[in-house]
Amino acid sequence: MTGNTTVTAVVDTPPPGVVVVHSDLWCSFAHLAVHRLHTTRARLGLEDRVAFDLRAFPLELLNDAPSPRPGTDSEVARMASLEPDAGWQLWQAKDWLYPSTTLPALEAVQAAKEQSLRASELLDLGLRRAFWAESRCVSNRRVILDVAKETGAVDVAALEEALDDGRARRALAAQTALSRTDAIRCSPHLFLPDGTDVANPGVEVGWEGAYGVGWPVVHGDDPQVYESLLLRAAA
């Protein structure tokens, strides 16, 4: 999903062994991509050689509105058919528990980087599954902290302290500013240590009708692209 302008900017090249991922938790294409990154990395045995640096592409700020639930609902079945194991379901909780924002969750992912990229990437993955597969309100602080505990990798007390003083908010603001430029084309957009980048890897998609009214149309899907991306990041 897109939401940027034509202001020119440059994204710093990540260090060897790191894949930078700009995305939003609300984005089904990002949920697909992050799942494939984790599963492909595990299959290739690269968990000790490649880390993921998750950065925010906050669609609600770029579009000046929360993500419309009809839009996310319309994506579930189509994206689930591409990668069922990522975890998907139509929203099952009470209507008033549907998230009105992903900003607290995005901030928590940035805050967890104080502990390690591993802690941050597992919190990010857990929050995506909490929303897309478990119908949990990832706007809610208690849910965010519960997911952090469930990862087994995040120091929850340290994360809570970081959220209390807002120390990751500046990073979130800087990532939002970058997202408004043409350097980040959509969610997800990946950047590799060799200086290359790829938006929405392996998936060619269009849209039938307006967002929130129509539905995604996938013209092509090549999950094997993740293997080459991770091998290049590990080189």
Side-chain angles (χ1 to χ4, degrees):
M1 299 171 72
T2 61
N4 55 11
T5 68
T6 57
V7 177
T8 300
V10 177
V11 179
D12 292 337
T13 300
V18 175
V19 177
V20 169
V21 183
H22 292 262
S23 68
D24 198 347
L25 290 167
W26 255 327
C27 177
S28 64
F29 300 98
H31 181 43
L32 177 93
V34 169
H35 171 79
R36 286 176 169 174
L37 283 169
H38 280 269
T39 57
T40 306
R41 181 179 65 177
R43 178 169 54 80
L44 295 174
L46 295 176
E47 289 164 306
D48 293 331
R49 295 178 58 191
V50 178
F52 307 138
D53 184 350
L54 280 302
R55 302 186 186 180
F57 185 86
L59 288 161
E60 66 195 89
L61 297 182
L62 303 177
N63 297 326
D64 291 324
S67 184
R69 179 176 165 185
T72 54
D73 281 353
S74 72
E75 296 171 1
V76 169
R78 187 65 186 96
M79 302 309 291
S81 70
L82 300 182
E83 200 65 57
D85 290 344
W88 310 86
Q89 66 178 17
L90 290 174
W91 186 257
Q92 298 299 303
K94 302 294 186 182
D95 286 346
W96 58 84
L97 293 176
Y98 190 83
S100 60
T101 177
T102 62
L103 295 181
L106 293 172
E107 181 181 344
V109 170
Q110 301 311 306
K113 290 179 188 177
E114 277 193 339
Q115 301 176 34
S116 66
L117 283 181
R118 179 67 173 166
S120 177
E121 67 183 37
L122 289 179
L123 178 57
D124 172 87
L125 181 65
L127 289 167
R128 292 180 194 279
R129 289 192 62 87
F131 173 64
W132 288 102
E134 299 166 357
S135 299
R136 296 163 72 183
C137 182
V138 294
S139 302
N140 183 265
R141 180 187 174 101
R142 182 70 264 159
V143 171
I144 293 169
L145 294 175
D146 285 347
V147 172
K149 182 178 180 180
E150 291 160 12
T151 67
V154 178
D155 182 329
V156 179
L159 177 63
E160 193 165 11
E161 181 181 327
L163 294 177
D164 283 343
D165 64 26
R167 68 188 70 164
R169 209 157 298 154
R170 186 178 296 276
L172 182 61
Q175 291 164 20
T176 300
L178 184 61
S179 298
R180 295 186 188 279
T181 74
D182 61 0
I184 315 298
R185 296 197 294 276
C186 67
S187 169
H189 194 161
L190 279 58
F191 292 80
L192 302 182
D194 64 4
T196 61
D197 66 277
V198 57
N200 206 14
V203 179
E204 298 177 18
V205 66
W207 204 268
E208 181 66 31
Y211 186 71
V213 178
W215 56 89
V217 178
V218 177
H219 302 296
D221 179 39
D222 178 16
Q224 296 304 313
V225 70
Y226 286 87
E227 183 170 324
S228 63
L229 292 172
L230 287 165
L231 289 172
R232 282 160 54 194

